[in-house]
mmCIF file of all heavy atoms in Angstrom:
data_model
loop_
_atom_site.group_PDB
_atom_site.id
_atom_site.type_symbol
_atom_site.label_atom_id
_atom_site.label_comp_id
_atom_site.label_asym_id
_atom_site.label_seq_id
_atom_site.Cartn_x
_atom_site.Cartn_y
_atom_site.Cartn_z
ATOM 1 N N ALA C 147 84.438 -105.358 31.263
ATOM 2 C CA ALA C 147 83.584 -104.330 31.717
ATOM 3 C C ALA C 147 82.919 -104.638 33.043
ATOM 4 O O ALA C 147 82.184 -105.692 33.122
ATOM 5 C CB ALA C 147 82.498 -103.938 30.676
ATOM 6 N N ARG C 148 83.024 -103.804 34.041
ATOM 7 C CA ARG C 148 82.339 -104.050 35.261
ATOM 8 C C ARG C 148 81.108 -103.162 35.447
ATOM 9 O O ARG C 148 80.304 -103.443 36.370
ATOM 10 C CB ARG C 148 83.313 -103.635 36.440
ATOM 11 C CG ARG C 148 84.562 -104.557 36.545
ATOM 12 C CD ARG C 148 84.056 -105.989 36.884
ATOM 13 N NE ARG C 148 85.190 -106.940 36.875
ATOM 14 C CZ ARG C 148 85.531 -107.772 35.897
ATOM 15 N NH1 ARG C 148 84.842 -107.676 34.715
ATOM 16 N NH2 ARG C 148 86.584 -108.539 35.979
ATOM 17 N N GLY C 149 80.932 -102.245 34.534
ATOM 18 C CA GLY C 149 79.643 -101.436 34.513
ATOM 19 C C GLY C 149 79.309 -101.245 32.985
ATOM 20 O O GLY C 149 80.201 -100.965 32.178
ATOM 21 N N MET C 150 78.013 -101.265 32.638
ATOM 22 C CA MET C 150 77.628 -101.004 31.318
ATOM 23 C C MET C 150 76.118 -100.767 31.264
ATOM 24 O O MET C 150 75.376 -101.127 32.111
ATOM 25 C CB MET C 150 77.921 -102.263 30.381
ATOM 26 C CG MET C 150 77.180 -103.518 30.769
ATOM 27 S SD MET C 150 77.487 -104.939 29.633
ATOM 28 C CE MET C 150 79.157 -105.352 30.255
ATOM 29 N N SER C 151 75.691 -100.070 30.209
ATOM 30 C CA SER C 151 74.304 -99.889 29.954
ATOM 31 C C SER C 151 74.101 -100.140 28.475
ATOM 32 O O SER C 151 74.829 -99.784 27.599
ATOM 33 C CB SER C 151 73.780 -98.485 30.340
ATOM 34 O OG SER C 151 74.581 -97.482 29.661
ATOM 35 N N VAL C 152 73.063 -100.988 28.177
ATOM 36 C CA VAL C 152 72.806 -101.475 26.832
ATOM 37 C C VAL C 152 71.325 -101.200 26.412
ATOM 38 O O VAL C 152 70.459 -101.431 27.148
ATOM 39 C CB VAL C 152 72.969 -102.994 26.768
ATOM 40 C CG1 VAL C 152 72.726 -103.527 25.393
ATOM 41 C CG2 VAL C 152 74.368 -103.376 27.163
ATOM 42 N N SER C 153 71.191 -100.382 25.387
ATOM 43 C CA SER C 153 69.883 -100.022 24.874
ATOM 44 C C SER C 153 69.236 -101.243 24.175
ATOM 45 O O SER C 153 69.867 -101.961 23.355
ATOM 46 C CB SER C 153 69.944 -98.948 23.813
ATOM 47 O OG SER C 153 70.432 -97.769 24.393
ATOM 48 N N LEU C 154 67.969 -101.576 24.573
ATOM 49 C CA LEU C 154 67.325 -102.747 24.114
ATOM 50 C C LEU C 154 66.398 -102.417 23.025
ATOM 51 O O LEU C 154 65.679 -101.375 23.070
ATOM 52 C CB LEU C 154 66.551 -103.433 25.263
ATOM 53 C CG LEU C 154 67.378 -103.876 26.461
ATOM 54 C CD1 LEU C 154 66.523 -104.372 27.599
ATOM 55 C CD2 LEU C 154 68.492 -104.855 26.119
ATOM 56 N N PRO C 155 66.131 -103.301 22.100
ATOM 57 C CA PRO C 155 65.220 -102.980 20.996
ATOM 58 C C PRO C 155 63.760 -103.112 21.544
ATOM 59 O O PRO C 155 63.465 -103.683 22.622
ATOM 60 C CB PRO C 155 65.428 -104.112 19.972
ATOM 61 C CG PRO C 155 66.072 -105.203 20.774
ATOM 62 C CD PRO C 155 66.860 -104.544 21.871
ATOM 63 N N GLY C 156 62.808 -102.432 20.845
ATOM 64 C CA GLY C 156 61.481 -102.407 21.290
ATOM 65 C C GLY C 156 61.059 -101.070 21.733
ATOM 66 O O GLY C 156 61.832 -100.129 21.724
ATOM 67 N N PRO C 157 59.778 -100.881 22.084
ATOM 68 C CA PRO C 157 59.220 -99.606 22.521
ATOM 69 C C PRO C 157 59.780 -99.100 23.854
ATOM 70 O O PRO C 157 60.161 -99.938 24.657
ATOM 71 C CB PRO C 157 57.737 -99.890 22.549
ATOM 72 C CG PRO C 157 57.642 -101.358 22.962
ATOM 73 C CD PRO C 157 58.801 -102.064 22.206
ATOM 74 N N GLY C 158 59.649 -97.827 24.061
ATOM 75 C CA GLY C 158 59.885 -97.235 25.313
ATOM 76 C C GLY C 158 61.348 -96.987 25.715
ATOM 77 O O GLY C 158 61.607 -96.682 26.875
ATOM 78 N N HIS C 159 62.197 -97.076 24.778
ATOM 79 C CA HIS C 159 63.668 -96.741 25.096
ATOM 80 C C HIS C 159 64.131 -97.528 26.269
ATOM 81 O O HIS C 159 64.604 -97.084 27.255
ATOM 82 C CB HIS C 159 63.859 -95.258 25.347
ATOM 83 C CG HIS C 159 63.492 -94.320 24.209
ATOM 84 N ND1 HIS C 159 64.217 -94.332 22.996
ATOM 85 C CD2 HIS C 159 62.564 -93.464 24.019
ATOM 86 C CE1 HIS C 159 63.664 -93.407 22.158
ATOM 87 N NE2 HIS C 159 62.657 -92.910 22.817
ATOM 88 N N ARG C 160 63.961 -98.893 26.177
ATOM 89 C CA ARG C 160 64.318 -99.812 27.277
ATOM 90 C C ARG C 160 65.853 -99.878 27.395
ATOM 91 O O ARG C 160 66.527 -99.817 26.356
ATOM 92 C CB ARG C 160 63.691 -101.090 27.037
ATOM 93 C CG ARG C 160 62.165 -101.135 27.004
ATOM 94 C CD ARG C 160 61.611 -102.500 26.992
ATOM 95 N NE ARG C 160 62.113 -103.313 25.941
ATOM 96 C CZ ARG C 160 62.178 -104.671 25.866
ATOM 97 N NH1 ARG C 160 61.460 -105.325 26.801
ATOM 98 N NH2 ARG C 160 62.689 -105.362 24.915
ATOM 99 N N GLU C 161 66.322 -100.210 28.594
ATOM 100 C CA GLU C 161 67.731 -100.272 28.911
ATOM 101 C C GLU C 161 67.967 -101.454 29.795
ATOM 102 O O GLU C 161 67.194 -101.732 30.766
ATOM 103 C CB GLU C 161 68.219 -98.974 29.519
ATOM 104 C CG GLU C 161 68.201 -97.725 28.725
ATOM 105 C CD GLU C 161 69.338 -97.492 27.777
ATOM 106 O OE1 GLU C 161 70.387 -98.041 28.058
ATOM 107 O OE2 GLU C 161 69.201 -96.806 26.840
ATOM 108 N N PHE C 162 69.105 -102.016 29.513
ATOM 109 C CA PHE C 162 69.704 -103.048 30.565
ATOM 110 C C PHE C 162 70.899 -102.409 31.180
ATOM 111 O O PHE C 162 71.771 -101.854 30.456
ATOM 112 C CB PHE C 162 70.141 -104.315 29.879
ATOM 113 C CG PHE C 162 70.935 -105.263 30.696
ATOM 114 C CD1 PHE C 162 70.305 -105.934 31.797
ATOM 115 C CD2 PHE C 162 72.322 -105.341 30.468
ATOM 116 C CE1 PHE C 162 71.131 -106.765 32.552
ATOM 117 C CE2 PHE C 162 73.088 -106.198 31.212
ATOM 118 C CZ PHE C 162 72.508 -106.920 32.276
ATOM 119 N N VAL C 163 70.967 -102.375 32.510
ATOM 120 C CA VAL C 163 72.019 -101.751 33.263
ATOM 121 C C VAL C 163 72.672 -102.837 34.129
ATOM 122 O O VAL C 163 72.039 -103.503 34.907
ATOM 123 C CB VAL C 163 71.519 -100.609 34.157
ATOM 124 C CG1 VAL C 163 72.641 -100.013 34.919
ATOM 125 C CG2 VAL C 163 70.826 -99.552 33.306
ATOM 126 N N LEU C 164 74.061 -102.939 34.073
ATOM 127 C CA LEU C 164 74.810 -103.771 34.924
ATOM 128 C C LEU C 164 75.760 -102.902 35.685
ATOM 129 O O LEU C 164 76.512 -102.117 35.147
ATOM 130 C CB LEU C 164 75.656 -104.765 34.090
ATOM 131 C CG LEU C 164 76.730 -105.581 34.854
ATOM 132 C CD1 LEU C 164 75.996 -106.461 35.888
ATOM 133 C CD2 LEU C 164 77.589 -106.390 33.929
ATOM 134 N N ALA C 165 75.683 -103.023 37.038
ATOM 135 C CA ALA C 165 76.620 -102.365 37.960
ATOM 136 C C ALA C 165 77.177 -103.361 38.899
ATOM 137 O O ALA C 165 76.544 -103.831 39.832
ATOM 138 C CB ALA C 165 75.879 -101.227 38.742
ATOM 139 N N SER C 166 78.434 -103.818 38.582
ATOM 140 C CA SER C 166 79.076 -104.814 39.410
ATOM 141 C C SER C 166 79.216 -104.346 40.806
ATOM 142 O O SER C 166 79.576 -103.193 41.161
ATOM 143 C CB SER C 166 80.432 -105.168 38.808
ATOM 144 O OG SER C 166 80.276 -105.856 37.610
ATOM 145 N N SER C 167 78.974 -105.250 41.763
ATOM 146 C CA SER C 167 79.137 -104.938 43.187
ATOM 147 C C SER C 167 79.442 -106.233 43.905
ATOM 148 O O SER C 167 78.706 -107.242 43.768
ATOM 149 C CB SER C 167 77.821 -104.261 43.645
ATOM 150 O OG SER C 167 77.961 -104.056 45.121
ATOM 151 N N TYR C 168 80.483 -106.207 44.712
ATOM 152 C CA TYR C 168 80.842 -107.351 45.482
ATOM 153 C C TYR C 168 81.107 -106.938 46.984
ATOM 154 O O TYR C 168 81.299 -105.735 47.245
ATOM 155 C CB TYR C 168 82.227 -108.009 44.938
ATOM 156 C CG TYR C 168 82.208 -108.322 43.543
ATOM 157 C CD1 TYR C 168 82.470 -107.394 42.491
ATOM 158 C CD2 TYR C 168 81.741 -109.593 43.059
ATOM 159 C CE1 TYR C 168 82.394 -107.781 41.144
ATOM 160 C CE2 TYR C 168 81.670 -109.936 41.756
ATOM 161 C CZ TYR C 168 82.072 -109.062 40.821
ATOM 162 O OH TYR C 168 81.987 -109.341 39.446
ATOM 163 N N SER C 169 81.022 -107.913 47.820
ATOM 164 C CA SER C 169 81.077 -107.651 49.313
ATOM 165 C C SER C 169 82.393 -107.017 49.664
ATOM 166 O O SER C 169 82.495 -106.243 50.557
ATOM 167 C CB SER C 169 80.798 -108.859 50.073
ATOM 168 O OG SER C 169 81.818 -109.881 49.780
ATOM 169 N N ASP C 170 83.486 -107.317 48.980
ATOM 170 C CA ASP C 170 84.762 -106.753 49.297
ATOM 171 C C ASP C 170 85.206 -105.615 48.367
ATOM 172 O O ASP C 170 86.295 -105.088 48.539
ATOM 173 C CB ASP C 170 85.909 -107.829 49.201
ATOM 174 C CG ASP C 170 85.968 -108.425 47.784
ATOM 175 O OD1 ASP C 170 85.107 -108.212 46.961
ATOM 176 O OD2 ASP C 170 86.979 -109.148 47.476
ATOM 177 N N MET C 171 84.247 -105.060 47.648
ATOM 178 C CA MET C 171 84.567 -103.856 46.793
ATOM 179 C C MET C 171 84.394 -102.667 47.699
ATOM 180 O O MET C 171 83.568 -102.448 48.343
ATOM 181 C CB MET C 171 83.577 -103.747 45.662
ATOM 182 C CG MET C 171 83.827 -102.696 44.701
ATOM 183 S SD MET C 171 82.409 -102.488 43.421
ATOM 184 C CE MET C 171 82.844 -104.007 42.424
ATOM 185 N N PRO C 172 85.464 -101.685 47.501
ATOM 186 C CA PRO C 172 85.345 -100.463 48.268
ATOM 187 C C PRO C 172 84.033 -99.725 47.964
ATOM 188 O O PRO C 172 83.533 -99.790 46.797
ATOM 189 C CB PRO C 172 86.542 -99.649 47.774
ATOM 190 C CG PRO C 172 87.514 -100.676 47.225
ATOM 191 C CD PRO C 172 86.683 -101.834 46.773
ATOM 192 N N HIS C 173 83.420 -99.220 48.973
ATOM 193 C CA HIS C 173 82.089 -98.530 48.826
ATOM 194 C C HIS C 173 82.098 -97.507 47.733
ATOM 195 O O HIS C 173 81.171 -97.441 47.006
ATOM 196 C CB HIS C 173 81.622 -97.930 50.096
ATOM 197 C CG HIS C 173 80.450 -97.081 50.082
ATOM 198 N ND1 HIS C 173 79.255 -97.532 49.626
ATOM 199 C CD2 HIS C 173 80.273 -95.801 50.394
ATOM 200 C CE1 HIS C 173 78.367 -96.620 49.611
ATOM 201 N NE2 HIS C 173 78.944 -95.458 50.109
ATOM 202 N N GLY C 174 83.133 -96.646 47.698
ATOM 203 C CA GLY C 174 83.113 -95.618 46.675
ATOM 204 C C GLY C 174 83.125 -96.094 45.256
ATOM 205 O O GLY C 174 82.673 -95.502 44.338
ATOM 206 N N VAL C 175 83.811 -97.220 45.043
ATOM 207 C CA VAL C 175 83.866 -97.884 43.703
ATOM 208 C C VAL C 175 82.495 -98.341 43.264
ATOM 209 O O VAL C 175 82.039 -98.042 42.204
ATOM 210 C CB VAL C 175 84.909 -99.013 43.685
ATOM 211 C CG1 VAL C 175 84.866 -99.672 42.212
ATOM 212 C CG2 VAL C 175 86.290 -98.441 43.987
#
Side-chain angles (χ1 to χ4, degrees):
R148 294 295 177 262
M150 65 180 73
S151 56
V152 178
S153 297
L154 302 176
H159 300 291
R160 298 188 307 164
E161 298 273 338
F162 168 72
V163 178
L164 169 66
S166 292
S167 174
Y168 303 90
S169 59
D170 59 348
M171 181 185 289
H173 171 56
V175 176

